[in-house]
Amino acid sequence: MESFSFGRELRLLTPSHYSRIFQEPARAATPYFTLLAKPNDIGRPRLGLTVAKKRCKLACQRNRIKRLARESFRLNQHKLDNIDIVLMVKSGVDEQSNAELTQQLNKMWRKLNERCKPGAPKPKPFKKRPAKNVKKANTPQKRDNTPRS
């Protein structure tokens, strides 16, 4: 019989687990979620959650989203290959219903699983955003040494 638990072995726990996934991941996105994934050698799928305070202000809403994501992953873990997944949220996710979020997550697991299969096209690397033109406050201003009249 298959176990539907979400134990410690199914979670990404350390910063090194997360940083490995951020280097050339397979990506899938919806208006409320971005999922990044990479195949692993562990023998089971693992999930890591990042729900930023910037995107979802209230702690109860962040906890609700994490609960929904863990539950969806727990029920779909047997359909997934051996991949590590990081789930990130976008703005506006806290205004959606539980049913809408669960439906989007279920679609995302399938899509991401297909993109991580051997022979799938390799993802394009991330493009860094250009730096904004911001004056640095700590840099001294150059003085004009011309004599004043």
Side-chain angles (χ1 to χ4, degrees), residues 17-36:
H17 292 162
Y18 281 86
S19 63
R20 186 184 76 80
I21 296 169
F22 285 113
Q23 299 164 358
E24 296 184 26
R27 295 185 282 287
T30 67
Y32 305 111
F33 296 108
T34 298
L35 273 76
L36 308 174

Side-chain angles (χ1 to χ4, degrees), residues 15-148:
S16 63
H17 292 162
Y18 281 86
S19 63
R20 186 184 76 80
I21 296 169
F22 285 113
Q23 299 164 358
E24 296 184 26
R27 295 185 282 287
T30 67
Y32 305 111
F33 296 108
T34 298
L35 273 76
L36 308 174
K38 263 186 134 172
N40 68 31
D41 299 329
I42 306 294
R44 58 189 160 269
R46 296 187 301 176
L47 178 66
L49 301 170
T50 57
V51 182
K53 196 182 228 183
K54 181 179 181 179
R55 306 283 176 225
C56 189
K57 302 289 186 216
L58 299 176
C60 60
Q61 293 296 334
R62 291 193 300 274
N63 292 335
R64 176 182 71 97
I65 292 162
K66 289 188 280 188
R67 250 193 326 272
L68 288 170
R70 282 192 296 260
E71 179 70 5
S72 178
F73 177 81
R74 186 182 71 81
L75 295 173
N76 289 288
Q77 66 182 324
H78 299 294
K79 300 172 188 171
L80 298 173
D81 295 333
N82 302 330
I83 55 177
D84 289 340
I85 302 169
V86 172
L87 180 134
M88 298 184 296
V89 298
K90 297 180 181 179
S91 297
V93 69
D94 52 347
E95 299 165 1
Q96 302 306 310
S97 70
N98 290 355
E100 173 67 25
L101 295 177
T102 303
Q103 180 184 7
Q104 281 193 8
L105 285 168
N106 290 336
K107 287 180 187 176
M108 296 289 284
W109 304 130
R110 287 191 300 269
K111 186 187 293 187
L112 202 57
N113 202 36
E114 289 300 315
R115 292 184 180 175
C116 285
K117 292 216 185 275
K122 194 169 184 177
K124 297 176 186 174
F126 278 123
K127 291 183 182 176
K128 290 189 177 182
R129 293 182 185 160
K132 294 181 180 177
N133 294 335
V134 178
K135 285 188 177 180
K136 295 182 181 177
N138 296 336
T139 56
Q141 298 289 328
K142 287 190 176 184
R143 289 186 171 192
D144 186 17
N145 293 332
T146 57
R148 295 183 188 159

